[in-house]
Amino acid sequence: MRQILQDIGNFIFLKDPPEKADAILVVGGSRPELAEIAADLWKEGYAPLVFIGGGVSIKTGTFPGPQSKQDIYSKKYQTEYDFYRDVLLINGVAERAILGENRSSFTRENAFFARQAFDEKQLVPEKILLVCQNFHARRCLMFFQSAFPDTQFSILPFEGTGLTKEDWFLSENGVQRVLGELARCGNQFDFSDIRRYTHLQDG
């Protein structure tokens, strides 16, 4: 059983060292820490562009507000994009360096609307730094790699979720979160994504 738990942890939790890239991409959500990580990476010169995405919750039709640091990020935000944009600006990212979309309501939309936005700007990134919550990493990579099949991704996770690949199974919340992600990686993966990949391999 321990080996199975370790295998699940290794599959779900991904982390790469930061390196020079064409863009930093923040996966939609309500944690300001993700955009703060992106701001630090931008200020350290890892990439010239920060892409932020996200509209409103598919469940409620609204943006619920920041999950933390409400004293710092205290405006009435309409979308995840509006929220992340404010976080980036407050943390020193130049407005000219921010690109995004405000329509997506879930991870798959986040990925493919991001691709549309890059295409509209005629941007062809060879490498992207992907910032997400640590337990969300595998599913994020799955969708964003599907949307950007020719792009190399490095995962830069926010690790302050209270979960790690070593101990996620020690709490009920951890089991629900991680096994929920594991299930979604299977039931949200589209057959067309596999066909697209195999077509690229054949070519």
Side-chain angles (χ1 to χ4, degrees), residues 108 112 115 138 141-153 189-203:
R108 185 183 183 88
F112 284 89
R115 177 58 190 262
R138 175 62 68 177
L141 178 60
M142 182 177 79
F143 285 130
F144 280 92
Q145 192 70 80
S146 295
F148 294 83
D150 298 316
T151 299
Q152 181 184 354
F153 285 89
F189 199 74
D190 194 284
F191 182 65
S192 63
D193 296 325
I194 299 174
R195 291 300 300 270
R196 185 184 304 110
Y197 173 76
T198 54
H199 173 72
L200 290 171
Q201 291 293 98
D202 292 342

Side-chain angles (χ1 to χ4, degrees), residues 30 32-33 36 65-77 83 86-87 90-91:
S30 58
E33 293 89 350
E36 291 174 342
Q67 194 169 339
S68 61
K69 302 186 179 182
Q70 294 91 344
D71 56 325
I72 301 174
Y73 311 110
S74 56
K75 296 178 182 176
K76 297 293 184 182
Y77 304 106
F83 168 54
D86 193 44
V87 175
I90 287 174
N91 285 275

Side-chain angles (χ1 to χ4, degrees), residues 150-162:
D150 298 316
T151 299
Q152 181 184 354
F153 285 89
S154 290
I155 306 296
L156 283 298
F158 168 61
E159 299 186 283
T161 63

Side-chain angles (χ1 to χ4, degrees), residues 31 33 37 133-134 157-163:
R31 278 196 174 272
E33 293 89 350
I37 291 171
Q133 296 191 76
N134 62 350
F158 168 61
E159 299 186 283
T161 63
L163 303 175

Side-chain angles (χ1 to χ4, degrees), residues 24-44:
I24 302 158
L25 198 154
V26 185
V27 178
S30 58
R31 278 196 174 272
E33 293 89 350
L34 274 66
E36 291 174 342
I37 291 171
D40 288 341
L41 290 167
W42 182 82
K43 287 184 290 187
E44 292 168 13

Side-chain angles (χ1 to χ4, degrees), residues 53-195:
V56 296
S57 168
I58 193 172
K59 296 179 181 178
T60 66
T62 62
F63 174 64
Q67 194 169 339
S68 61
K69 302 186 179 182
Q70 294 91 344
D71 56 325
I72 301 174
Y73 311 110
S74 56
K75 296 178 182 176
K76 297 293 184 182
Y77 304 106
Q78 298 300 309
T79 65
E80 294 171 2
Y81 169 84
D82 297 330
F83 168 54
Y84 278 157
R85 182 176 182 277
D86 193 44
V87 175
L88 292 176
L89 293 173
I90 287 174
N91 285 275
V93 177
E95 189 169 5
R96 59 176 168 73
I98 301 172
L99 178 66
E101 59 83 17
N102 63 1
R103 298 179 294 152
S104 59
S105 294
F106 47 89
T107 308
R108 185 183 183 88
E109 282 190 348
N110 207 188
F112 284 89
F113 287 164
R115 177 58 190 262
Q116 289 180 13
F118 274 81
D119 287 347
E120 288 168 3
K121 295 289 185 180
Q122 297 184 329
L123 298 172
V124 184
E126 293 184 6
K127 187 172 186 62
I128 288 177
L129 304 181
L130 188 63
V131 181
C132 59
Q133 296 191 76
N134 62 350
F135 62 83
H136 194 200
R138 175 62 68 177
R139 188 155 57 103
C140 289
L141 178 60
M142 182 177 79
F143 285 130
F144 280 92
Q145 192 70 80
S146 295
F148 294 83
D150 298 316
T151 299
Q152 181 184 354
F153 285 89
S154 290
I155 306 296
L156 283 298
F158 168 61
E159 299 186 283
T161 63
L163 303 175
T164 71
K165 70 177 182 179
E166 290 81 16
D167 65 6
W168 62 269
F169 49 85
L170 297 180
S171 68
E172 183 177 352
N173 175 61
V175 170
Q176 291 178 347
R177 283 284 193 183
V178 172
L179 294 188
E181 284 295 314
L182 187 64
R184 293 183 190 97
C185 284
N187 61 37
Q188 292 183 4
F189 199 74
D190 194 284
F191 182 65
S192 63
D193 296 325
I194 299 174
R195 291 300 300 270

